[in-house]
Structure formats: structure tokens, C-alpha cells
Amino acid sequence: MLTKKPGLSPDRCFSPEPVQRRLAHQFFDSISALPLVCPHGHVDPALLANPAARFGSPTELLIIPDHYLLRMLYSRGVSLQSLGIPTNDGSPVETDHRKIWQLFADHFYLFQGTPSGLWLKEELTNVFGVDEPLSSHNAGLIYDYLEGLLASPEFSPRALFKRFNIEVLCTTDAASDNLENQRSLHEDGFTQIRPTFRPDAVVNLDAPGWRENLTKLESSIGTEINTYANFVQALEERRAFFKRMGATATDQGAATPYTTRLSDQEAEAIFARALVGKLNPGDVENFTGHIFMEMARMSVEDGLVMQMHCGVMRNHNPALFERFGADKGADIPIKIEWTENLRPLLSAYGNDRRFHLIIFGMDESTYSREMAPLAGHYPSVLLGPPWWFHDSVNGMERYFNQVMETAGIYNTAGFNDDTRAFVSIPARHNVWRRVACNWLAGLVARGLVEEEEGYGMARALAYDLAKVAYKFEGNLGGI
């Protein structure tokens, strides 16, 4: 049926230089079968909690939830409503998934040379066995083929989870989440699926629907939150609950990594103004900076790893956000600064070996100037992998070249796939492992690292570093 090979080169991501390429293959072969450690992502746990769950149509699985695809298509004039993206106002959108798939296939050329294109080719080839490149001409045939596979038990979310050899997968969950999906999974033996405490919706005072989110937090603890002191206590209670459910980490996102310590009176005054919707200029930034400090303090006390994702202006396109909501491809990187912004937090907790902080940034100019030196000095700080727009072959190569000489690989946190697209998980890890092995092969070829050292470094980058960074040592099958 599908006979023309799509050309997934066995040398992809590897140097054309013969010695480096040979070494890259050797390193990759030594680690390619290692289990996948997925400490940060956005897979909906409901997909896995229900044994009877299916992914739906190929369109529902591969197109509608993927904002990487949406941003590229929108940039070339493809409307989100034509891609079936629901609108906030309930206005009509395309509901024929076969038609949406055809539209996507007509524009698949847009993803040539992009990480999304590479991931999709690997998914279609290695997960589903599609034997020819997606195009306008074969879109219907491939749709029918995928639709049949997705209806079968062998391609259920749980079946693919096992097939992908995922050792641990962490979801990202709101502070108010009851974690019933994770509880159900643990009862079914899937204890390697763990929650991550994500408080952004209640700690960022300018978050959309902040007051409603606070009400949900109140419901989760069964107590009214009418003071800042109550608010902090609620966060501590929820962190303890998440930890009992297997969480090893928290995650907090903000435009910048600004940190500051407010007095209790100052924090109380800002929180009171937020409750009545009368914030002053600077309140949001100061409160978020103060909460970063509080989260660090709590991490010292409860042992949860703290993650900071910074450097993105969310929802840059207001018209798109108003009509379709968040996570539709309109988030844009911004210039940020780490050294001064993190100093208050690191002055307080950076030398405490009970504290573990993983930092992620979108401003690559800070890699060698700030992020690597910070991780290369403070025992509490690790660098997260290249994130979002830089989760690509070139982005990874830039990361290795700018970071590793100063920080060393053992002050980094390995890799995480950070994806909503479940079936892209093995493809994303595969790209990281290939690029890492190619980088290591270059070091060996230039005499900077011994070949035997390269094998150990490849394993660390592919597997060990993430387990250590997120405190996954030991038996991941039990909590």
C-alpha cells in the first residue's frame, strides 16, 4: 500500500566527517535502548488513566493539540478555525477531521528543515510504520491507515506507553488538581506516572481567571483563602499532597527570573489588593518575585526540586488569545537577565545542599554569560535542556557548545521532552540522544575526551542526569 520510503537517514543529526560520524554511531548504539525518563511534560494523565481510552482521529492526535504546528500554519495564512481549534465565543470551526488532515498535508512542506518536521517523520515512520512521505496526494490513504491503527488496542495510550519504554513520566498539574487520574493510575500499577506541582494560575496575580483559580484552590483545601498567610499555608498543604502522590518537583513559569523578598506586611497588602481587583503598578512582578523566594524556602523544607521556566511573553497576539485562548503558538521569547535577578534567591538558598533548582531560559545570549557560570558555581543550580524554540538540532548544538565548557555536563539536568504530543516523546528523545552523541564524538575526534569517557558521558546525557536531577534514583515502580 505505502511503498516509497520517506528517507529517514540512519545518519541524521550526525556529522558528515567520517571519524566523528563513526564515533557518533558507536555512542548512539550504546545508549539507544535505554528507557526514557520524562520529568517534565504536558501529557494529559486522563489519556492513560482510562484503560479504554483512545487517541481519537489522526487529526485529534497529531494536529489540534500541537501549538508548534499551529504557529507555523497560522504564519502562512492557515486559519485556526480551519484546523478545528475551538473558539472561546463558540463560533463555528471545521469539524471534518479528514478535511483538516488534507489541509495539513497540503502544507506539510512548511515543516521541512524544522524540528516539528523531523519529529513528525519519525513518529509516522517509527511509531506507525508509514512508508512514504506525507503529501497532498496520499493524505487520504495515510489518514485511513492511521485511523485504523488508532482504533486498535495495540495503539491505545497505555499500550504505546509500554512500547515506548518510558521509565517515568511526570505530568504538569495545577495546584488545585485533585490528582484523581494519577491516583487511578497508581491503583492500576502505573506508579511511574507522577504529578508536578504547577502553581502559576494562583501565584501569578495577572494570570487569566486568577480569582476563579483561587476559588478552586480554596475548594481543594476546604478553607477560605482571605489572607496572604492563608494563601501560603494552602500552597504548603498542596505541595505536601503532591509529594504524597509521588511528585518530586514543582514548576513555575514567569516572564523573568526576578526574585525579591517582601516583608509579610508588603505581601499581605498586595494579596489584599488582588482579592478586590485593585492592584498597583509593580504588584504583579514583586509578588511573583517574592513567591519564587517562598517556593525556594518550601523546597528546602520539603525536598521538592524547583523548576523555573523564564523568558517568554505569553499570548503575544491579543486577537488570537481573545478568540482561541492560550497555547496556540503566539508565545514569543524575550530578552532576560539571570545574574542580578536570581541573586536574592541564591543568596538565601543557593549554598544549601537541600535545595535543588533547575533553570530554563529562552534567551540564548545568557547561556555562556550567565546560566552556565551560575550552574558551574552554586551547588543548588542545574541547567535544564534547551527549551521550546531551541529544542531542535541546531538549538541543542548551540547549547552544548555554549554551556558545557563552563558548567560541565554534570551540572545539567539531562533531557525532557516538554510535550503535549504523546507520540512525539520517543522522537524527541531520539533527536537529543543523536545530537548529544554527535557532540561527544566531535570531542573525541579532536582529542578533548577519551573514547571510553564518551560512552559514560553519552549514558549520562541520555538517562542518568535526568534521574539524578529530579530525584528519581531507586525503584521508579513504587512510591
Side-chain angles (χ1 to χ4, degrees):
M1 180 182 76
L2 301 170
T3 57
K4 184 180 178 182
K5 296 295 181 183
L8 269 184
S9 168
D11 297 325
R12 61 193 181 281
C13 308
F14 295 161
S15 169
E17 196 281 316
V19 173
Q20 184 174 349
R21 177 179 288 183
R22 174 180 59 80
L23 288 165
H25 272 289
Q26 290 174 197
F27 293 150
F28 180 72
D29 289 345
S30 74
I31 54 92
S32 61
L34 287 172
L36 304 184
V37 176
C38 308
H40 176 83
H42 302 278
V43 171
D44 184 352
L47 274 176
L48 297 161
N50 179 3
R54 294 293 185 269
F55 288 111
S57 73
T59 297
E60 288 175 293
L61 173 63
L62 297 173
I63 301 174
I64 291 176
D66 195 334
H67 61 89
Y68 286 82
L69 303 184
L70 301 183
R71 68 180 299 273
M72 178 66 79
L73 293 165
Y74 184 78
S75 77
R76 300 308 303 160
V78 179
S79 69
L80 296 191
Q81 54 265 40
S82 70
L83 295 168
I85 308 304
T87 55
N88 290 331
D89 61 7
S91 56
V93 301
E94 182 58 64
T95 58
D96 185 334
H97 286 190
R98 180 180 295 274
K99 186 175 180 179
I100 295 169
W101 180 266
Q102 181 67 55
L103 180 64
F104 173 64
D106 293 342
H107 291 85
F108 191 60
Y109 70 93
L110 295 174
F111 299 96
Q112 294 168 355
T114 70
S116 293
L118 180 57
W119 297 330
L120 282 163
K121 288 179 181 178
E122 289 221 9
E123 292 165 46
L124 290 172
T125 303
N126 294 336
V127 177
F128 297 106
V130 173
D131 290 331
E132 64 181 58
L134 178 64
S135 69
S136 296
H137 304 294
N138 63 17
L141 189 64
I142 290 177
Y143 186 94
D144 291 339
Y145 174 71
L146 294 176
E147 190 174 44
L149 291 181
L150 291 173
S152 68
E154 293 78 13
F155 284 82
S156 71
R158 286 195 176 189
L160 288 182
F161 182 90
K162 294 178 180 178
R163 176 178 154 191
F164 291 167
N165 194 21
I166 296 174
E167 186 167 334
V168 60
L169 182 146
C170 293
T171 58
T172 301
D173 311 279
S176 58
D177 200 300
N178 62 19
L179 303 184
E180 282 305 310
N181 287 312
Q182 286 87 344
R183 189 187 305 277
S184 173
L185 282 160
H186 295 173
E187 291 172 353
D188 285 353
F190 286 80
T191 52
Q192 68 271 55
I193 298 173
R194 300 171 178 236
T196 300
F197 182 76
R198 182 71 179 257
D200 293 11
V202 290
V203 301
N204 295 338
L205 301 181
D206 59 346
W210 177 80
R211 195 61 185 85
E212 292 77 12
N213 298 330
L214 189 67
T215 300
K216 292 178 183 177
L217 184 60
E218 290 174 328
S219 297
S220 70
I221 63 170
T223 304
E224 183 181 7
I225 300 173
N226 52 14
T227 67
Y228 168 72
N230 294 154
F231 178 67
V232 170
Q233 184 178 1
L235 295 177
E236 291 172 336
E237 289 182 15
R238 297 303 292 168
R239 287 172 64 108
F241 169 66
F242 271 64
K243 188 174 181 179
R244 290 194 298 272
M245 291 297 295
T248 65
T250 72
D251 182 35
Q252 194 172 346
T256 75
Y258 172 72
T259 62
T260 188
R261 173 67 75 188
L262 301 177
S263 68
D264 289 345
Q265 293 77 15
E266 290 171 320
E268 190 68 70
I270 292 175
F271 191 76
R273 290 195 289 271
L275 288 175
V276 296
K278 294 183 179 180
L279 290 168
N280 293 334
D283 278 354
V284 170
E285 182 182 31
N286 283 324
F287 193 80
T288 298
H290 174 71
I291 290 296
F292 272 138
M293 297 286 284
E294 281 293 276
M295 286 294 174
R297 189 261 306 165
M298 294 177 200
S299 287
V300 169
E301 295 174 0
D302 63 22
L304 293 179
V305 177
M306 179 176 176
Q307 298 177 91
M308 292 177 65
H309 284 80
C310 301
V312 175
M313 179 181 289
R314 307 276 178 169
N315 308 310
H316 190 275
N317 186 336
L320 202 73
F321 175 69
E322 182 177 345
R323 188 167 189 193
F324 295 97
D327 301 321
K328 300 300 182 291
D331 302 331
I332 308 296
I334 60 174
K335 181 179 179 180
I336 60 173
E337 190 276 342
W338 290 92
T339 304
E340 291 295 335
N341 278 328
L342 269 190
R343 195 175 189 193
L345 186 147
L346 294 178
S347 294
Y349 306 108
N351 301 300
D352 192 323
R353 293 189 177 273
R354 295 172 297 172
F355 181 48
H356 295 83
L357 172 66
I358 303 175
I359 57 175
F360 298 79
M362 288 295 293
D363 183 353
E364 288 183 307
S365 71
T366 66
Y367 275 177
S368 60
R369 185 181 68 244
E370 300 180 54
M371 297 179 78
L374 286 168
H377 171 70
Y378 283 96
S380 61
V381 179
L382 295 174
L383 298 186
W387 172 44
W388 207 335
F389 289 89
H390 309 313
D391 182 13
S392 63
V393 174
N394 288 335
M396 292 172 185
E397 289 176 345
R398 292 192 297 269
Y399 174 86
F400 287 129
N401 289 331
Q402 294 182 58
V403 161
M404 295 306 186
E405 281 191 336
T406 301
I409 72 168
Y410 295 97
N411 282 318
T412 67
F415 181 67
N416 66 62
D417 49 79
D418 191 29
T419 185
R420 291 172 172 81
F422 179 75
V423 294
S424 76
I425 289 175
R428 293 178 188 232
H429 281 264
N430 194 36
V431 170
W432 168 263
R433 292 177 174 189
R434 285 176 171 275
V435 174
C437 288
N438 188 63
W439 174 72
L440 291 168
L443 297 184
V444 174
R446 287 180 287 157
L448 302 176
V449 169
E450 298 297 326
E451 183 172 336
E452 283 306 308
E453 294 175 322
Y455 288 102
M457 295 169 74
R459 179 188 168 94
L461 288 166
Y463 179 71
D464 295 332
L465 291 175
K467 288 187 68 175
V468 172
Y470 288 89
K471 301 185 178 181
F472 294 144
E473 304 98 316
N475 177 19
L476 298 184
I479 293 177

